[in-house]
Amino acid sequence: MRFTSEQRLDDGVLEREFTLGEIPGILWTPGSASTSGSTSGSASTSAPARLILLGHPGGLREMYPRLAARARYRAAEGFAAATIELPGSGDRPRSAAAEQARADLRRALETGEPVEEIVDRLVLPLVERAVPEWRATLDALLSLPGIGGPVGYAGGVIAIGIRLAVLEPRIAAAVMFAGTFVPRAVFEEARQVAIPLQVLLQWDDEGNNRQQALDLFDAFGSKEKTLHANLGGHAGVPRFEEDDANRFFARHLK
Amino acid sequence: MRFTSEQRLDDGVLEREFTLGEIPGILWTPGSASTSGSTSGSASTSAPARLILLGHPGGLREMYPRLAARARYRAAEGFAAATIELPGSGDRPRSAAAEQARADLRRALETGEPVEEIVDRLVLPLVERAVPEWRATLDALLSLPGIGGPVGYAGGVIAIGIRLAVLEPRIAAAVMFAGTFVPRAVFEEARQVAIPLQVLLQWDDEGNNRQQALDLFDAFGSKEKTLHANLGGHAGVPRFEEDDANRFFARHLK
């Protein structure tokens, strides 16, 4: 992991861009966190900042304002937050198969044809590639001074969040956005999820399938799972949900 | 309004039983609230405690432990809370028509017959009788020293909460339990509700109709409405929802 830039934001949050191999990412740490890694004898008195992974649908540059805002919310509660670019998105090499699936999906949505098979082609290989990258990122981030687990996952792509929640024992709680285009296989995987969950559903999301989101919430195997449905479209998650997410993570990560 | 008993609970909350005409009720005020009604010259410096009406399905004696627990949660956030017995419940005179409807409903549920007409007979007259009583109680409570509006409504019966939310301008926000046996007419009325809402749904409530609850949430006319669905049965609302309700009311009543 190599840091490529560093800036202190006005609320004291330290924002650092990094690369892990060919994967670009961003790490935000709260102003209060010790990031010096001092080994000069006296042990640091402050506990490491718990880490929250910020999921997103790809395109770090376009997503930056929303991701940074979410990271700063988490930092206000003392959490570190990090995100990486998805394979095939942003400046990363395109996958011909994924580009084909994306084009097929657009066409199928226009003509009203069934999309299930296309969604499988688009999402399942993305999960296969993205999850090991997230886990490698987790290894690197947790080896930094001042950052510790247990770790939270927040955001989309929900299929990636689900796979991580099932495979990665360091992830102890997740806030997931009930998204669109969820392969049937992911519903089966959701039954294996056992960590506490908060699932966000935008009730009037034009691009979303409300019934599918409710079915997915139903499928999760977690003993503690809460659905928060709010009025409004895709980008209209109300401000108070950020506070709720902080409290949810504080309950389960601290 | 006549106070019939008074006790100070261990967390400092003042619990007072009262009667308003023939209606019994309970008022809880936080330890911090001024209830002396001092007019001795110096104005009280503390703001009046905002009042939250605690709805319930009737039977004050059986419901007391849960209502008192909810009231003490509210009091911890500085809210006053009050409840009254429903017409035809507890020690109040029975309604022959309501008793008949209740018996018919039990029988219909056993035999699997349709219940819509019975639910109308049971719930609609209850709403007609209960809502004016709640409003009279509100008049009396808001004339007490140390208690003020805007007012919140929390709990069931959801048909009563909906009518109150539509008719009563002093009620500014409500946390409603998505209940069972909601007459179709109430769905129409829900469209007229305009105050901020938090709707609680127990995902596995044996006695509940999940789809009906989701439809009712969809019907509400409020611009700010949030559904909180949690795993578990009827009485299993998680503790953290009490905190969420306090924050919701703090946002909208203070």
Side-chain angles (χ1 to χ4, degrees):
Chain A
M1 171 168 280
R2 200 167 59 83
F3 288 108
T4 56
S5 78
E6 169 174 331
Q7 63 167 322
R8 185 69 70 171
L9 306 180
D10 52 15
D11 49 5
V13 172
L14 182 65
E15 176 181 287
R16 286 178 285 178
E17 298 189 334
F18 63 81
T19 55
L20 183 74
E22 62 168 21
I23 312 163
I26 312 175
L27 170 64
W28 294 269
T29 42
S32 55
S34 159
T35 54
S36 62
S38 161
T39 52
S40 60
S42 67
S44 169
T45 52
S46 63
R50 302 289 193 242
L51 176 65
I52 295 175
L53 306 178
L54 302 182
H56 63 88
L60 213 43
R61 226 184 289 275
E62 298 74 39
M63 290 297 296
Y64 171 80
R66 282 157 71 183
L67 290 165
R70 285 162 56 199
R72 293 163 81 161
Y73 261 109
R74 302 293 159 261
E77 185 67 32
F79 293 113
T83 193
I84 51 173
E85 184 61 279
L86 286 184
S89 287
D91 297 333
R92 300 190 61 187
R94 292 282 174 275
S95 144
E99 295 298 302
Q100 184 62 54
R102 225 180 292 272
D104 293 347
L105 180 61
R106 264 194 302 273
R107 201 164 28 240
L109 289 173
E110 277 166 19
T111 58
E113 284 167 78
V115 298
E116 284 74 9
E117 177 270 336
I118 305 171
V119 167
D120 284 357
R121 271 198 282 131
L122 185 62
V123 176
L124 296 179
L126 179 66
V127 174
E128 290 294 333
R129 289 190 59 200
V131 166
E133 295 186 353
W134 270 115
R135 299 186 76 182
T137 306
L138 202 47
D139 292 340
L141 291 170
L142 289 179
S143 72
L144 294 174
I147 295 178
V151 175
Y153 183 88
V157 174
I158 199 165
I160 294 174
I162 289 170
R163 177 73 56 87
L164 278 169
V166 170
L167 285 190
E168 180 49 75
R170 291 172 291 187
I171 295 182
V175 174
M176 297 198 190
F177 297 151
T180 335
F181 306 134
V182 180
R184 285 314 304 181
V186 173
F187 282 73
E188 286 311 309
E189 213 167 341
R191 292 180 210 288
Q192 301 171 45
V193 174
I195 60 172
L197 290 183
Q198 201 153 281
V199 179
L200 293 178
L201 167 61
Q202 285 302 96
W203 199 249
D204 307 302
D205 193 337
E206 340 40 68
N208 211 333
N209 181 332
R210 191 193 294 168
Q211 189 55 52
Q212 179 183 270
L214 294 169
D215 291 345
L216 189 56
F217 175 70
D218 195 46
F220 280 114
S222 307
K223 281 203 198 70
E224 182 186 329
K225 57 180 179 182
T226 303
L227 176 74
H228 284 191
N230 286 288
L231 207 64
H234 189 69
V237 177
R239 182 68 57 100
F240 55 76
E241 287 293 353
E242 296 291 353
D243 298 325
D244 273 12
N246 269 355
R247 279 186 293 264
F248 170 79
F249 283 126
R251 257 199 332 270
H252 294 291
L253 303 183
K254 284 185 173 171
Chain B
M1 171 168 281
R2 200 166 60 82
F3 288 107
T4 56
S5 79
E6 169 174 327
Q7 64 167 321
R8 184 72 66 172
L9 307 179
D10 53 12
D11 50 4
V13 173
L14 182 65
E15 176 181 286
R16 286 178 285 178
E17 299 189 335
F18 62 82
T19 56
L20 182 74
E22 64 168 18
I23 312 164
I26 311 175
L27 170 64
W28 293 269
T29 42
S32 56
S34 158
T35 54
S36 63
S38 161
T39 51
S40 61
S42 68
S44 168
T45 50
S46 62
R50 301 290 194 243
L51 176 65
I52 295 175
L53 305 179
L54 302 182
H56 63 87
L60 212 43
R61 226 184 288 275
E62 298 74 38
M63 290 297 295
Y64 171 80
R66 282 157 70 183
L67 290 165
R70 285 162 55 198
R72 292 164 82 160
Y73 260 109
R74 302 293 158 261
E77 184 68 32
F79 293 113
T83 194
I84 51 174
E85 183 62 280
L86 285 184
S89 286
D91 297 333
R92 300 190 61 187
R94 293 282 176 272
S95 144
E99 294 299 301
Q100 184 61 54
R102 225 180 292 273
D104 293 347
L105 181 61
R106 262 194 304 272
R107 200 163 30 239
L109 289 173
E110 277 166 19
T111 59
E113 286 166 79
V115 298
E116 285 73 12
E117 175 269 336
I118 306 171
V119 166
D120 284 358
R121 272 197 284 131
L122 184 63
V123 177
L124 297 179
L126 179 66
V127 173
E128 290 294 332
R129 287 190 61 200
V131 166
E133 295 185 354
W134 270 115
R135 299 186 77 183
T137 306
L138 202 47
D139 291 340
L141 291 170
L142 290 178
S143 71
L144 295 173
I147 294 178
V151 175
Y153 183 88
V157 174
I158 200 167
I160 294 174
I162 288 170
R163 177 73 57 86
L164 278 170
V166 170
L167 285 188
E168 180 49 75
R170 291 172 292 187
I171 295 182
V175 175
M176 297 197 191
F177 297 151
T180 335
F181 306 134
V182 180
R184 285 314 305 182
V186 173
F187 282 73
E188 286 311 309
E189 213 166 339
R191 291 180 211 289
Q192 301 170 47
V193 173
I195 60 171
L197 290 182
Q198 203 153 280
V199 179
L200 293 178
L201 167 61
Q202 285 303 95
W203 198 248
D204 307 302
D205 193 338
E206 339 45 62
N208 212 333
N209 180 330
R210 190 192 294 168
Q211 190 56 52
Q212 179 184 269
L214 294 168
D215 291 345
L216 189 56
F217 175 71
D218 194 46
F220 280 115
S222 308
K223 281 205 196 71
E224 180 185 330
K225 57 179 179 182
T226 303
L227 177 74
H228 284 193
N230 285 288
L231 207 64
H234 189 68
V237 176
R239 182 68 57 99
F240 55 75
E241 287 293 351
E242 296 291 354
D243 299 324
D244 273 12
N246 269 356
R247 279 186 293 264
F248 171 80
F249 283 127
R251 251 191 349 260
H252 293 292
L253 303 183
K254 285 183 173 172

